[in-house]
């Protein structure tokens, strides 16, 4: 550890932020249609993403006992569970805003905490190329665990799903929700965020990424409004959480190892037992410029992120902040947008068997 580096991190990111991701930056994530094999209790036995199913399987089996479950225990058990279920290519990774001893107890809700808020996002990309099947179930399974095992209240949960009933997981709504969390959460409060869907990669032009790429989340409306890039998440969410807030994030998507751009990381690949420092951590990423790899570009190369200029991107960011400015008592007290009523389902219709699970990678 470098004392000077750690001091700068403390000033840059006041909150304690921990992220468990389903894969490293150069890996893809998978769907688990046989989620029943993970031995999740009802209703968590619904089909779900491999990472979400694995972490819930581990947490339920270990009983989430305070002081008995370390970060390294969770990650290594997740890896073994994934290998048992045929996903040996996925290596769970922990990244954080603090250098920690990975053998110390893991807490989603530390002792003596205040309000617990959650934002759960599941995008199946219904009707689009690269449609997924399990992301909505990931949200329901995670919601059930947080309520039953961690004491969260549904009134303090913001659910985003592309099911025609919940708040739509558009780029604006996702960023709006993250901004709400930074505004409402006070010292001592707990934040939990999960994302199940597609992840992508963007070309890094500043040299802060060893592999030459930054990571991104793919919102429902990515074709019109672009991806959510890691630098934006870092600046608008991670850096703005108040000191004394504890935040845990689970990312079940491709290329998710550093999608929060946190300064410390640990991978459960058996090559070490301590956290590493991200020497290229962006203490000031406000001026970074990004371009998105796009095969639809006529030139076969690189186009501006989301097809928008830097000025347009800044205007969109300010508009999202303004829209989320007025705090409310609960994170979901007022819907982000008017929601359509749930369509009735034909209960007598027999559902066809699920198709082969697609890989969770950026939609072409």
């Amino acid at each position: 550890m470098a004392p000077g580096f750690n001091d700068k991190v403390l000033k840059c990111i006041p909150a304690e932020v921990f992220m468990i991701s389903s894969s490293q930056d150069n890996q893809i994530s998978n769907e688990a249609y046989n989620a029943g094999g993970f031995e999740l209790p009802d209703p968590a036995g619904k089909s779900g993403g491999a990472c979400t199913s694995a972490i819930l399987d581990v947490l339920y089996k270990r009983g989430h006992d305070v002081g008995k479950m370390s970060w390294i225990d969770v990650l290594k058990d997740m890896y073994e569970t994934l290998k048992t279920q045929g996903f040996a290519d996925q290596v769970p990774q922990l990244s954080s805003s603090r250098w920690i001893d990975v053998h110390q107890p893991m807490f989603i809700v530390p002792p003596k905490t205040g309000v617990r808020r959650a934002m759960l996002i599941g995008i199946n990309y219904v009707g689009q190329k690269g449609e997924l099947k399990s992301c909505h179930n990931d949200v329901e399974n995670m919601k059930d665990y947080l309520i039953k095992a961690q004491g969260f209240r549904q009134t303090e949960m913001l659910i985003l799903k592309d099911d025609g009933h919940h708040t739509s997981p558009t780029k604006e709504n996702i960023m709006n929700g993250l901004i709400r969390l930074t505004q409402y959460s006070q010292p001592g409060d707990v934040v939990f965020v999960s994302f199940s869907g597609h992840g992508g990669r963007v070309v890094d032009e500043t040299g802060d990424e060893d592999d030459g790429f930054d990571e991104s989340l793919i919102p429902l409306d990515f074709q019109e409004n672009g991806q959510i890039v890691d630098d934006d998440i870092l600046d608008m969410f991670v850096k703005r959480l108040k000191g004394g807030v504890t935040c845990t994030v689970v990312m079940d998507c491709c290329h998710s190892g550093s999608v929060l751009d946190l300064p410390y990381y640990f991978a459960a690949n058996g090559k070490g037992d301590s956290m590493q420092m991200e020497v290229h951590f962006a203490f000031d990423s406000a001026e970074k410029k990004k371009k998105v790899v796009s095969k639809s570009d006529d030139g076969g190369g690189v186009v501006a992120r989301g097809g928008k200029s830097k000025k347009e991107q800044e205007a969109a960011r300010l508009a999202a902040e303004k829209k989320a400015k007025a705090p409310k008592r609960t994170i979901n007290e007022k819907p982000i947008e008017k929601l359509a009523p749930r369509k009735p389902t034909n209960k007598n219709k027999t559902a066809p068997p699920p198709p082969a699970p697609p890989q969770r990678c950026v939609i072409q």
Side-chain angles (χ1 to χ4, degrees):
M1 291 189 299
F5 182 88
N6 295 334
D7 292 341
K8 290 180 67 177
V9 168
L10 286 170
K11 293 180 180 179
C12 184
I13 307 178
E16 294 188 5
V17 183
F18 306 95
M19 182 184 77
I20 293 179
S21 58
S22 61
S23 56
Q24 296 174 288
D25 289 343
N26 61 346
Q27 294 179 317
I28 60 173
S29 183
N30 293 284
E31 292 202 300
Y33 280 87
N34 61 334
F38 287 94
E39 299 179 12
L40 303 181
D42 183 60
K46 299 176 182 177
S47 61
C51 173
T52 302
S53 297
I55 189 171
L56 288 176
D57 182 66
V58 171
L59 292 175
Y60 276 119
K61 283 182 177 178
R62 284 187 169 270
H64 40 267
D65 292 334
V66 176
K68 295 184 179 180
M69 181 175 59
S70 69
W71 287 102
I72 195 169
D73 288 338
V74 172
L75 291 169
K76 289 190 173 181
D77 281 8
M78 281 181 65
Y79 189 36
E80 292 302 316
T81 301
L82 288 166
K83 287 195 295 184
T84 300
Q85 296 298 325
F87 303 112
D89 57 330
Q90 287 190 229
V91 180
Q93 179 169 302
L94 167 69
S95 56
S96 71
S97 63
R98 302 287 183 268
W99 188 96
I100 61 170
D101 180 355
V102 293
H103 295 88
Q104 75 180 39
M106 171 198 176
F107 294 102
I108 292 178
V109 179
K112 300 181 180 179
T113 53
V115 179
R116 304 166 192 187
R117 298 180 179 87
M119 177 177 170
L120 310 179
I121 307 163
I123 314 178
N124 279 344
Y125 309 91
V126 178
Q128 299 190 49
K129 184 178 180 180
E131 181 175 344
L132 299 170
K133 303 297 182 182
S134 64
C135 299
H136 295 171
N137 288 341
D138 285 345
V139 168
E140 295 304 316
N141 292 341
M142 189 63 75
K143 180 182 74 173
D144 187 68
Y145 171 76
L146 292 175
I147 292 173
K148 291 183 177 180
Q150 297 293 342
F152 281 71
R153 295 181 178 181
Q154 190 163 344
T155 55
E156 288 292 353
M157 290 184 173
L158 179 59
I159 308 296
L160 284 78
K161 296 195 294 185
D162 54 335
D163 61 355
H165 176 69
H166 291 83
T167 299
S168 181
T170 62
K171 181 177 182 179
E172 180 181 14
N173 286 347
I174 292 173
M175 295 307 295
N176 190 306
L178 293 174
I179 292 170
R180 285 190 185 189
L181 287 172
T182 66
Q183 293 175 339
Y184 305 166
S185 300
Q186 303 301 317
D189 289 351
V190 171
V191 170
F192 186 93
V193 177
S194 70
F195 178 90
S196 294
H198 281 300
R201 309 180 81 192
V202 297
V203 175
D204 169 39
E205 293 189 330
T206 62
D208 71 325
E209 297 281 352
D210 293 335
D211 60 359
F213 292 90
D214 281 297
E215 287 63 52
S216 63
L217 303 179
I218 310 297
L220 180 64
D221 59 341
F222 73 99
Q223 293 180 336
E224 296 81 16
N225 296 308
Q227 305 176 26
I228 301 175
V229 183
D230 54 5
D231 290 334
D232 295 337
I233 302 172
L234 175 65
D235 288 338
M236 297 180 66
F237 176 62
V238 175
K239 290 182 178 180
R240 298 191 182 193
L241 287 168
K242 299 177 180 66
V245 172
T246 301
C247 175
T248 303
V249 180
V250 174
M251 289 290 180
D252 197 348
C253 58
C254 300
H255 314 300
S256 54
S258 63
V259 75
L260 293 191
D261 262 357
L262 294 170
Y264 305 98
Y265 64 92
F266 169 79
N269 54 11
K271 297 181 180 180
D273 60 357
S274 63
M275 299 203 81
Q276 304 296 313
M277 182 175 69
E278 177 51 70
V279 294
H280 297 302
F281 175 70
F283 288 102
D284 182 9
S285 56
E287 298 301 320
K288 295 182 71 174
K289 298 178 180 179
K290 294 294 175 66
K291 295 182 179 180
V292 175
V293 175
S294 173
K295 291 187 178 180
S296 63
D297 178 34
D298 293 336
V302 178
V303 296
R305 179 174 68 194
K308 295 184 178 182
S309 66
K310 183 178 178 182
K311 185 178 291 185
E312 290 173 326
Q313 295 168 29
E314 179 64 14
R317 182 185 70 80
L318 293 174
E321 286 188 346
K322 185 177 181 180
K323 192 170 183 178
K325 202 165 186 179
K328 304 174 182 63
R329 290 188 299 274
T330 60
I331 188 172
N332 67 349
E333 181 176 359
K334 182 179 179 181
I336 295 177
E337 60 181 23
K338 187 176 181 180
L339 304 179
R342 184 187 295 275
K343 296 180 180 180
T345 58
N346 185 355
K347 295 183 179 180
N348 297 322
K349 185 178 180 181
T350 303
Q359 294 175 326
R360 290 190 182 182
C361 56
V362 63
I363 306 173
Q364 302 299 326

